């Protein structure tokens, strides 16, 4: 087994921080080449913002840092399969590649449900790489929900 | 022909303000009963934020104003059929009813493309009312794109 790429390790660290803050543990990182442009943890409760998924916060932070509303040449790393909201945002942002961890049969929109990037109304399709660090991501989510029962 | 409901007139005013600012003219309003909780104009360029659709900004502003990350009992009025990102956000926010103007065959996700609210992975389905003020909304969009050619 090869070691996890650095951006996914950073995304998992953010997911752990989300869990510590009482939020569903999902983390995301935006890279421009080898450089981390933004890192974010899922935070809808803390921020009082139903749109504050890790991917959304990382995309917004990266766009602000780069001073443009499109993230061509940027890659997104996220610990969980993106939902429809985040998949839509990824397309709007023109993200080049998406690397994600655990699949999400309940709420995912990449390989489940609407399979957004295969829709004719999707105007930008990133390269997609799933199942990266999925065991660690799934364990974080499982532990989080078990502790809440 | 009956007059347009006040929230849609406010959303159309926001769409006009977007056009004046050089943004694609879409506007949105969140209502709690008879009260306007948030009004927003589409602003991805101005805010350097690819997620800054009118619906997203209105939902985020409303959640902040009400101090909670779910907008149960709130209604969203928007001048254009929501895209996948915004439809996902509407579901996450638990919006009660969505009233929208023009249909959007190219990017809409309510009656086009993924038809998000019919997906088994969609965990909240608002009541949906389309084609409200659609002529005025479509005219704003047409004028905007004609002027840019």
């Amino acid at each position: 087994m090869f070691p996890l790429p650095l951006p996914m390790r950073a995304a998992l660290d953010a997911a752990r921080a989300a869990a510590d803050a009482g939020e569903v543990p999902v983390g995301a990182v935006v890279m421009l080449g080898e450089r981390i442009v933004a890192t974010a943890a899922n935070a809808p409760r803390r921020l009082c913002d139903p749109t504050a998924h890790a991917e959304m916060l990382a995309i917004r932070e990266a766009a602000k840092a780069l001073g443009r509303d499109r993230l061509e040449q940027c890659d997104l790393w996220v610990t969980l399969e993106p939902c429809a909201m985040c998949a839509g945002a990824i397309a709007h942002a023109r993200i080049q590649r998406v690397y994600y961890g655990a699949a999400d049969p309940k709420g995912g929109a990449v390989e489940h449900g609407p399979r957004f990037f295969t829709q004719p109304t999707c105007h930008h399709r990133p390269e997609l790489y799933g199942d990266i660090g999925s065991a660690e991501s799934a364990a974080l989510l499982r532990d989080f929900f078990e502790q809440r029962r």
Side-chain angles (χ1 to χ4, degrees), chain A:
Chain A
M1 203 173 122
F2 59 89
L4 274 180
L6 182 139
M8 189 56 87
R9 278 185 278 142
L12 285 163
D13 286 344
R16 252 172 243 116
D20 290 346
E23 303 272 5
V24 175
V26 181
V29 166
V30 172
M31 303 289 292
L32 177 58
E34 301 292 304
R35 180 159 71 94
I36 290 185
V37 184
T39 306
N42 187 44
R45 287 181 186 182
R46 187 171 59 81
L47 298 180
C48 251
D49 178 355
T51 75
H53 282 192
E55 301 94 310
M56 303 296 283
L57 296 174
I59 285 172
R60 292 177 53 210
E61 187 184 316
K64 202 164 196 174
L66 298 175
R68 47 190 167 97
D69 71 334
R70 293 193 173 181
L71 300 175
E72 287 109 343
Q73 301 175 304
C74 287
D75 301 330
L76 177 78
W77 296 71
V78 55
T79 59
L80 186 67
E81 178 186 351
C83 73
M85 173 180 73
C86 295
I90 286 163
H92 291 312
R94 306 292 193 269
I95 293 277
Q96 187 171 226
R97 301 182 194 90
V98 175
Y99 301 87
Y100 63 92
D104 182 7
K106 284 187 188 164
V110 175
E111 49 182 290
H112 296 95
R115 291 175 173 76
F116 177 65
F117 297 118
T118 68
Q119 295 286 344
T121 51
C122 171
H123 303 306
H124 171 81
R125 291 171 186 82
E127 295 173 37
L128 296 164
Y129 304 93
D131 199 20
I132 298 165
S134 52
E136 201 167 334
S137 167
L140 278 173
L141 288 158
R142 195 172 50 239
D143 289 353
F144 179 82
F145 287 112
E146 269 173 11
Q147 280 169 23
R148 315 247 124 191
R149 253 180 227 154

